[in-house]
Every structure is written in C-alpha cells, then in structure tokens.
Amino acid sequence: IDRNLFSCILKVESGYRTNVVSQTSDYGIGQINKKTAESLSINLQKVLSNRMYALTESAKILKSYKDVFSEDEPTLWFCRYNIGYQSYKKAGNYCQMYANRVNACLASQEYL
C-alpha cells in the first residue's frame, strides 16, 4: 500500500488519533469497524492501546480491498476501506465524498 495514501486514509478516518472510538463502533487510528474486527479476529482493545498493531491490521484490511477491487475500481478501491463490501449504490455519494477527501489530502501533501 502506498505510504502517502495510507497516511491520508488515517488522517481522514481518525485525524491520526489512536484511541478514538466512533459512534458507529469504529476503533483506533484506522477506525476499524467492530464487525470487521470480529470477522477477522482483530483485538479492538489492542487496536486502541498498540499503535503498531492498529496500523498493521488497518494496512491488512486496506490491502485486502485493493486485492479484490483495484482492477474493477482503479480509482476508488480504497473507498472500500470505509464502506466495506456494500455496493456503491447503497453507499450513495458517500464513497465519492470519501475519495475526494483522501485525494485532497494527497494533493495537499499534508500527511505524515
């Protein structure tokens, strides 16, 4: 996974905050969803307390979406990190708005 893209995803997801839990049950710097964590046996308490673990698990999830969707969705596969396997139609304009935020971060070069 491209480091700059990964950094921008983390910035959009959590503002680089490591111990945040969202109202939609998303955890840590990568905002790993509780259902995703359960399906992949990811320890959410460890996500909140161990930055390297959180980054590693977030990168694995992102890579899995890239492996599955990058041929069919070359410019928006990373949007799947945020919406999961649901259809773009179900996600509405949200996916494009998310991609726009990540791309704006990349363009600004204001990432870690």
Side-chain angles (χ1 to χ4, degrees), residues 33-49:
N33 184 269
K34 184 177 182 177
K35 289 181 182 178
T36 300
E38 289 170 355
S39 71
L40 298 173
S41 299
I42 296 171
N43 181 326
L44 291 174
Q45 292 309 311
K46 194 170 177 181
V47 164
L48 293 174
S49 63

Side-chain angles (χ1 to χ4, degrees), residues 47-60:
V47 164
L48 293 174
S49 63
N50 183 321
R51 178 180 269 195
M52 288 308 298
Y53 177 77
L55 293 172
T56 299
E57 296 304 317
S58 296
K60 286 180 188 176

Side-chain angles (χ1 to χ4, degrees), residues 76-96:
L76 296 179
W77 63 265
F78 58 86
C79 205
R80 294 289 181 168
Y81 183 83
N82 190 269
I83 67 167
Y85 283 93
Q86 69 178 305
S87 72
Y88 282 136
K89 188 174 185 178
K90 184 176 178 184
N93 292 332
Y94 186 79
C95 188
Q96 188 60 55

Side-chain angles (χ1 to χ4, degrees), residues 56-76:
T56 299
E57 296 304 317
S58 296
K60 286 180 188 176
I61 294 167
L62 185 58
K63 184 179 180 318
S64 74
Y65 287 123
K66 182 178 183 185
D67 291 347
V68 172
F69 294 108
S70 63
E71 264 189 53
D72 297 332
E73 305 166 0
T75 58
L76 296 179

